[in-house]
Amino acid sequence: MNRRTTRTLAAALSLTAALAISGCSSDSSDGAGTGAGASASAGSDAAGAAKPAMTVSGAFMPEPVNDRMAGGFMVVKNASKTADKLTGVTSPLSDDVQIHETKDQKMQQVPSMDVPAGGELKLERGGNHIMFMGLKSQPKVGEKITVELRFEKADPVKVELDVKERTYNPHNDAH
């Protein structure tokens, strides 16, 4: 095989894998696409470079105190060799979902956050997180909130956040 044929075959296989995996994760009724293992698979862009593959774990939202705002937390892992950025979040729960950075115990909205190659972006209590402003409803413990994470390079990833008790902290969870 020549180099062009090999490259074309690799791109076709990547696209086939991406379609197969995204087809499995788009139907959340069977639990696929949940915060426990949501992912976007590696594909190929117009230049032939591999897209980053993102997976999400530990996604949760503490039960909101009111309908004005709520926080969302998770770990976004980038298993690829290409760095990326989380550039946006959408959700049916709010028309205004923001990315917040916490520095010196002060939070501020930022346009994006880095997801390093071979690394992870931790969105956790007391640190960086997503913030839902102006909730359309007030979720209760046990419900699931759907979000779509958008990246500069990777395909969007749909994630379900488990609504937990207001005091829930996964680092203190004995389970």
Side-chain angles (χ1 to χ4, degrees):
M1 272 192 231
N2 66 30
R3 184 178 286 179
R4 186 173 184 189
T5 302
T6 303
R7 208 176 294 148
T8 302
L9 181 58
L13 289 172
S14 292
L15 182 57
T16 301
L19 290 173
I21 292 172
S22 66
C24 292
S25 66
S26 64
D27 179 10
S28 62
S29 64
D30 66 357
T34 63
S39 68
S41 59
S44 192
D45 64 17
K51 285 185 183 182
M54 301 296 171
T55 58
V56 176
S57 61
F60 76 98
M61 166 191 284
E63 182 180 32
V65 175
N66 56 48
D67 62 359
R68 290 191 305 261
M69 68 180 74
F73 309 98
M74 66 197 74
V75 177
V76 180
K77 294 183 182 175
N78 180 354
S80 75
K81 294 180 181 177
T82 304
D84 205 348
K85 291 179 182 288
L86 174 65
T87 58
V89 183
T90 58
S91 175
L93 181 63
S94 170
D95 292 330
D96 184 12
V97 185
Q98 303 174 358
I99 302 168
H100 282 196
E101 174 183 77
T102 303
K103 280 190 177 176
D104 300 323
Q105 297 181 342
K106 292 182 183 180
M107 70 176 179
Q108 64 183 15
Q109 183 178 359
V110 294
S112 66
M113 285 194 178
D114 293 333
V115 187
E120 58 188 27
L121 168 61
K122 291 182 180 180
L123 301 174
E124 56 191 354
R125 285 181 173 267
N128 300 334
H129 57 279
I130 59 174
M131 183 65 78
F132 299 81
M133 308 300 287
L135 307 181
K136 295 178 182 178
S137 64
Q138 192 169 344
K140 301 293 180 206
V141 173
E143 294 180 3
K144 294 186 182 293
I145 303 303
T146 302
V147 299
E148 183 174 270
L149 305 178
R150 298 187 182 223
F151 300 92
E152 186 175 80
K153 299 172 187 162
D155 292 329
V157 177
K158 287 193 179 185
V159 180
E160 286 186 339
L161 283 71
D162 293 322
V163 180
K164 301 285 193 177
E165 297 79 16
R166 291 180 180 134
T167 57
Y168 175 76
N169 187 337
H171 302 295
N172 298 337
D173 193 15
H175 300 290

